[in-house]
Amino acid sequence: MAAQSSAYIAGAYEHPTREAPEKSTMQLHAEVARGALADAGLAKDDVDAYFTAGVPEYESGLSPLIMADYLGLEVSYADTTDYGGSSYISHVGHAVSAIRDGKCDVALITLAGRPRSRGQATGSGARSIRSAQDSFERIYGATNIGMYGMAAKRHMHEHGTTPEQLAEIRVAASHHAQYNEDAMFQEPVTVDDVVESRVVSDPLHLLDCCVISDGGGAVLVVSEDVRSRLERECVEVLGHGEAVGHHRAGRIDLTRTAAEQSGTRAFEEAGVGPEHVDYASVYDSFTITVLEAIEDLGFCEKGEGGTFVENGALKAPNGDLPFNTDGGGLCSNHPANRGGMTKVIEAVRQLRGEANEEVQVDADLALAHGTGGSIGTRHGAATVVLGGEDR
Amino acid sequence: MSWEPRPTPEITPETERYWSAAADGTLLVRECTDCGLVYHYPRALCPDCFSDDVEWKEASGEGTVYSYSATQSMSGWPEEDLPLVLAYVELEEGPRVMTNLECDPEDVEIGTRVTVRFKAVEDADAAVPVFVPRE
């Protein structure tokens, strides 16, 4: 079998806004699309594939049509995989497959949303009963933070993880956010600040939760042929894996996520292991989301995440596993309540040497991982392994 | 604790029996007669082997707390019903079911033995299974 052709991220753009009361969600999609094209040095007419997971205000099944219409795109390929916040990491993998199959050469992926301006109680709001499944979950007041709280409590029970260890994750993220002028929360916090903040759903505190922000982001995945014509430094997509975790018919394990499978698949495709990763973007809806993912991705043994994050392992530039150097969803941005896109963008910045100076890692190999939906019921896990040009 | 109005379940042909049994004070689970899986939430086909030879099984209503979290604030939920204790209870029959624990969060921990109770909702043909610590 001939070697598979490569695909590259040629453009990446994060909208600088965190609150956009005067703009429509579709306008934000257009602005990030334009930003990614400018970053890559490509023109709108070069785009021949479009990926998005939806416009929250609309039926998700309609969104690629609505958005292609609004953006004026002429495409030969479209994909609207919706795994919640991890969707955009899946889209990168799906775009690579489509490019390898010869279906397209320039794939645009966009995310945008305005939950902050819309006053959405994202993690802590009771939800209406709209399906049979809701009747077994939301009827009990199952909020996102309630479900992740149950995961954290079970993890603590099985492995002795402490609230202070979870707090270290926020501390590291805030250390990075102080250098990001666009971050929502730029003030560094201490372990005490986190564990003394208000308990929302025990054992999780307010500072264990991500921000709610308006905004968005876009990336462009291109073929080898297109890349060879570009002057911009590109990032190679070396591996991609995804998996769906769920109830398993009543055998749910709240301490494990489908990152076990998505990570293994991505590493296998890339031909590397967790020990080779210089920088990791790890989905951080809550601190516990990070803790379980770094175990499941193989950065440490199951149950040892708490010990791993102590003593600054996640802090850039010198920690063992520098993570979320933009401040992540915990401190900087969680546009549309979906953090997968910004995870890819910061990994691209790191590999291009364009992260904020104080947190720039000497990175040749990076990982971006998303956990979408809820680990308390069903979730999508998606992982990509990315390589820099000079590696 | 009261829960008025408690959200009313969406009753479908697949789940109608579950809800009506709850209104009569019985907790049901599904059991596959082909592969033996006892599962929750109710589905017409076994989620392990896709057999449609599945039966309703009366659960004992006893279980242990697998995990829980006391939610202190929640928009859209009556203030007087907070904190709300969200939980997974592992039934004696096997499945882990999402539920609420109707007790002071201080009176419960992982592994606590609990027993089912049924909360009335506006729809008389349904009730919502919740759990309390066993006497």
Side-chain angles (χ1 to χ4, degrees), chain A residues 162-180:
Chain A
T162 66
E164 288 76 14
Q165 289 172 333
L166 289 179
E168 292 282 2
I169 296 166
R170 175 68 177 233
V171 169
S174 77
H175 173 73
H176 302 152
Q178 68 181 311
Y179 305 111
N180 180 358

Side-chain angles (χ1 to χ4, degrees), chain A residues 140 150 201-202 250-252 376, chain B residues 48 67 69-72 88 96 129:
Chain A
Y140 294 112
M150 287 197 291
S201 197
D202 79 312
R251 294 165 292 202
I252 198 165
Chain B
D48 266 11
S67 196
S69 178
T71 302
Q72 303 294 331
Y88 269 108
R96 291 170 183 161

Side-chain angles (χ1 to χ4, degrees), chain A residues 251-274:
Chain A
R251 294 165 292 202
I252 198 165
D253 182 344
L254 294 175
T255 68
R256 291 174 183 276
T257 75
E260 287 181 333
Q261 292 82 39
S262 69
T264 300
R265 288 166 190 156
F267 282 129
E268 269 178 21
E269 193 173 281
V272 299

Side-chain angles (χ1 to χ4, degrees), chain B residues 3 17 25-26 28 31 33 38 42 51 57 61-62 74 90-91 93-94 96-97 99 106 111 120 131 134:
Chain B
W3 245 298
R17 178 87 182 274
T26 302
L28 295 182
E31 181 171 33
T33 55
V38 177
S51 169
K57 178 187 173 79
E62 308 289 329
M74 189 185 340
E90 185 170 306
L91 301 178
E93 292 77 12
R96 291 170 183 161
V97 304
T99 189
E106 301 297 318
F131 287 79
R134 209 142 100 187

Side-chain angles (χ1 to χ4, degrees), chain A residues 121 124-126 133 135-136 139-140 143 150 153-154 157 198-202 247 249-254 376, chain B residues 6-7 10 18 39-42 48 66-75 84 88 96 98 100 110 128-129:
Chain A
S124 61
Q133 274 145 330
S135 302
F136 298 96
I139 202 165
Y140 294 112
T143 58
M150 287 197 291
K153 186 161 291 188
R154 185 72 198 184
H157 174 78
R198 166 169 77 83
V199 172
V200 182
S201 197
D202 79 312
H247 280 111
R251 294 165 292 202
I252 198 165
D253 182 344
L254 294 175
Chain B
R6 181 93 196 177
E10 171 87 11
Y18 174 89
Y39 62 92
H40 179 84
Y41 49 96
D48 266 11
Y66 170 74
S67 196
Y68 69 100
S69 178
T71 302
Q72 303 294 331
S73 60
M74 189 185 340
S75 62
L84 173 72
Y88 269 108
R96 291 170 183 161
M98 191 181 280
N100 292 134
I110 288 175
V128 175

Side-chain angles (χ1 to χ4, degrees), chain A residues 120-289:
Chain A
Q120 197 172 324
T122 303
S124 61
R127 312 270 187 98
S128 57
I129 309 299
R130 289 187 299 196
S131 72
Q133 274 145 330
D134 289 347
S135 302
F136 298 96
E137 296 160 11
R138 290 182 182 175
I139 202 165
Y140 294 112
T143 58
N144 284 333
I145 191 167
M147 291 189 277
Y148 280 83
M150 287 197 291
K153 186 161 291 188
R154 185 72 198 184
H155 200 281
M156 290 174 174
H157 174 78
E158 289 191 23
H159 302 299
T161 308
T162 66
E164 288 76 14
Q165 289 172 333
L166 289 179
E168 292 282 2
I169 296 166
R170 175 68 177 233
V171 169
S174 77
H175 173 73
H176 302 152
Q178 68 181 311
Y179 305 111
N180 180 358
E181 61 184 24
D182 293 326
M184 261 182 81
F185 297 117
Q186 296 173 20
E187 192 76 17
V189 300
T190 65
V191 167
D192 284 348
D193 289 335
V194 179
V195 298
E196 287 167 13
S197 67
R198 166 169 77 83
V199 172
V200 182
S201 197
D202 79 312
L204 298 180
H205 308 79
L206 187 62
L207 294 186
D208 286 300
C209 307
C210 65
V211 304
I212 296 174
S213 52
D214 300 342
V219 299
L220 285 158
V221 185
V222 304
S223 63
E224 177 78 61
D225 184 44
V226 170
R227 179 234 186 182
S228 67
R229 292 188 272 117
L230 296 176
E231 289 176 14
R232 186 70 163 114
E233 183 174 347
C234 293
V235 163
E236 186 173 354
V237 184
L238 299 170
H240 154 255
E242 55 192 57
V244 178
H246 53 65
H247 280 111
R248 296 168 60 237
R251 294 165 292 202
I252 198 165
D253 182 344
L254 294 175
T255 68
R256 291 174 183 276
T257 75
E260 287 181 333
Q261 292 82 39
S262 69
T264 300
R265 288 166 190 156
F267 282 129
E268 269 178 21
E269 193 173 281
V272 299
E275 69 277 14
H276 300 113
V277 171
D278 301 310
Y279 164 81
S281 285
V282 183
Y283 203 96
D284 53 351
S285 48
F286 302 97
T287 52
I288 183 66
T289 323

